Amino acid sequence: MAIKKRLFKIFEESSFCLRNRYLAKNHILSKPQGLRFDINYKIQSDSIIRIPGGISLTAGSVFETEVFLKGNIIMYKNGALHTYLDEINPLFPRFRPSPNDILNQSVLEKLEDENIHITEDMVTWEFDHIKYKLTFNPLRLEGFYKDELIIAANSKSLMNFEKYRPKGDENNINEVDVNFPIKIIDATQLIEEGEGGYKNIGNIWSEEYLDYIDEKPRGPSSVALDFEFFNASHVYGIPEHADSLALNDTKEGSPYRLFNCDNFSYKLGDTAAIYGAVPFMVSRSPALKSAGVFWLNSSETWIDIETLPQSKHSHWISEAGALEFFLFVGNSPLSVIETYTLLTGPAQLPPLSVLGYHQCRWNYNTREDLLEVSNGFLTNSIPLDVVWLDIEHTDKKKYFTWDDEKFPDPTSMQEILAKQGRNLVTIVDPHIKRDPDYFVHQDSENHNYYVANNEGNSFEGVCWPGISSWLDFTRPEVREYWSSNFDYSKYQNSTNNLYIWNDMNEPSVFNSPEGTMPRGNLHGNYEHREVHNTYGMYMQQASYQGLLKRSQKKERPFVLTRSFFAGTQKYGAIWTGDNAAEWSYLEYSVPMHLAIAIGGISFCGSDVGGFFGDPTPELLVRWYQLGAYYPFFRGHAHIESERREPWLFGEEALRKIRAAIRERYALLPYWYGLFYIYRTCGTPVIRPMFLEYPEIEECASLDRQYLVGSSLLVAGITKELQEHVDVFLPQGRWFDYHTLLEINAGQQSFQVQEDWIPVLIKGGSIIPRKNTPRMSSKEMLADPYSFLIAIDSNDSAQGFLYADDTISHNYMSGEYILADIQLNDFKLSYNLTNTMELENNIDEIMIIGLSRIPNEMILDIKGQKKPIDFGVRNNMIVINISDITISQNWTIEFK
Ligand code: NOJ
């Protein structure tokens, strides 16, 4: 199908990006030493005041007497160093996403005074093996791990802070000179100076793009800084882009852009912005040390990356906001990512059912249609946990309402689904139809909850319902209001079986530049340009709070969002928006998910089958086979796509899709445990190879294979009629998950199988499973657990089991099972570190790769010993047990 593409800005069309890039280019390329802006900023040493965890300070340009920045630098015991600088007496306040919304206050324990040393010209923080050093003149901040320099902020002195200034003519130019000592005052001059390739992009007080003019009454306000990662071979992160996992050098191309936008059918292999933004980057070095940067800024941001002989250099340029960032250093990329993920988390532990399979399309047309689809899964013996309703289920796109003709009696519909063990998800978008009879519109107008246009009136734009306005989710009182709409009394005919989907929340505005809100719109005191990238996150936060309140905080919410920002992991899942039914989108889903997981958001997925267009049966099957290993696993399709329920493609395809989805369900105990660890330790659920094997060079840029946890390695089949899949297996033992045969480490070429994609189990793993196929995760609740044990070269293996009631928050007060499982010296032990009453049995233990078949096995429960049955089947030892539950300790000795 022909998809009409919307146009998005390229960096040459962004004046603040050009100004800062110009500074960088002239500095780095032609004037390495001695240029005025080479040492542009310094800290006033007499301004330093000791505060808990660090210092407060003022700073300014080294060439001017005027000091115009103030702020503080604080180190926390989690190892992160936090810098915040803002203008002194600014003409306008600068937006700062509230630390309470983004940051996890419980990990922000400040460093003690004795670890902080202040002298005339520097400050040092030292804790564990981590050290940060701030030098005052020039302003430079360095991070060390075990005394090795890993990262420096303002390393090449690209710091730039365009302070707000009054609009005037000559005065204005003088003012600008203070910040731009090289007298580049606006991008128009770049053309006059003959700088190659730049287009006329207007001046700093207004900017044209296509037919739109961005009036900038507040003038230029960009902030920029550079970070150098020493000895780094690669840098990763800054999702969301449809690009390779390892970030590329942008010297010859475009910087990576972070600007949430409805970039449907996005181009692949591109640095363009799409729906979400997480300004976090992490480095890998062969020496195993790693650093991270979290640039806490929610305005449009461009990031340049340059490979230098001994480092990776990055230049971060944001349109507005304060200059706020965190530095991290550690002994591995994984430790840096964990610290970041907990800092902006903790991630939500989802209700178990949403880790199952989701069936969606735009749209299931009627109540009968929806129930038929749900029944179709039953009759075809395919497990399913959640069915979805897109925008057409509402009364004229008024969210929180139902189209009564197509969906009469939605409550009974949800009850029927609930009996089948299924949840319903309905879509709730942020654009509010300006219909005088619509309660959300009435409330929002009456209380002034809408985002305002630049004249201070409710902004009006076009989205699905026609003329609409948008709630200002950046304001706490608006979020409070929004969350009240999920109450059963207001969202009529919703039940506790219903979860929520927040779409179009970049926000998407059809008749506005780049399909999003005009930058001059107002959120109270702030222009939209400042808050832009947080809009979707704040909406999801409000919806999450709504579901929480609805159940008096008893049940875990589930909210899927398209737009996201740093910290989104607290509120639910994300998906990668409008992909297409093409092999290349299947292929790119992996690096996209991995980058998003590095950005702290592990609960991610892509539309299985591809949103636009129609997949061939082969593509659809391959997509299910890989999708079964996406953290968020949902089939979805565009309104004009052919129907594609799994049974519409013939028996063969059905059989394979059924097998793929069942494989997902068998592994739900493993996934659930990984989500628990993700919540508690910040460890990503899906992991790029370099996270588990940072020392292995070959793993550094692998992004077509990945790990689920540390035990399962997955490689998709992403080409039509593909015959072989290349997979790299790091040193150690590996077993084919399907044949259970041992596979040698190193570069392997797998012959493609029709029925599955390559999945390998790492030797040394213990994987909890539930073996009985059922129709939903809820039907599996009482089922016994089994353990699949793959042995390493020392005849050992480790794993764990996490289990709880799957839906409430009681786990937070200790109601859960956590068991450490170890096989060492021919003894398998199951040790509870926390327990609750759960009656599930353990029925089967399967062991592959043990160096010898035992003669006898002795089960020991509380000192009661007895021999147990076991046999050998398809390369594995199978122990059948029936009388132990997961809430007791036991051992099995192999004689
Ligand atoms: C855009 C979303 O990305 C897509 O998933 C959805 O089906 C349509 N909006 C309609 O709501």
Side-chain angles (χ1 to χ4, degrees), residues 182-203:
I182 55 166
K183 293 196 187 340
I184 295 302
I185 56 166
D186 67 49
T188 325
Q189 292 200 10
L190 296 178
I191 295 172
E192 284 161 13
E193 290 189 7
E195 274 297 314
Y198 294 138
K199 293 179 191 153
N200 185 339
I201 54 164
N203 71 32

Side-chain angles (χ1 to χ4, degrees), residues 362 390-391 427 464 501 503-504 562 575 578 611 634 636:
W362 177 18
D390 207 323
I391 49 176
I427 196 166
W464 302 127
W501 175 15
D503 186 20
M504 311 297 277
R562 192 171 70 177
W575 95 108
D578 298 349
F611 179 66
R634 182 186 74 157
H636 183 40

Side-chain angles (χ1 to χ4, degrees), residues 366-379:
T366 58
R367 171 193 167 103
E368 291 70 42
D369 187 11
L370 185 86
L371 292 176
E372 254 174 49
V373 169
S374 184
N375 288 334
F377 277 81
L378 289 178
T379 48

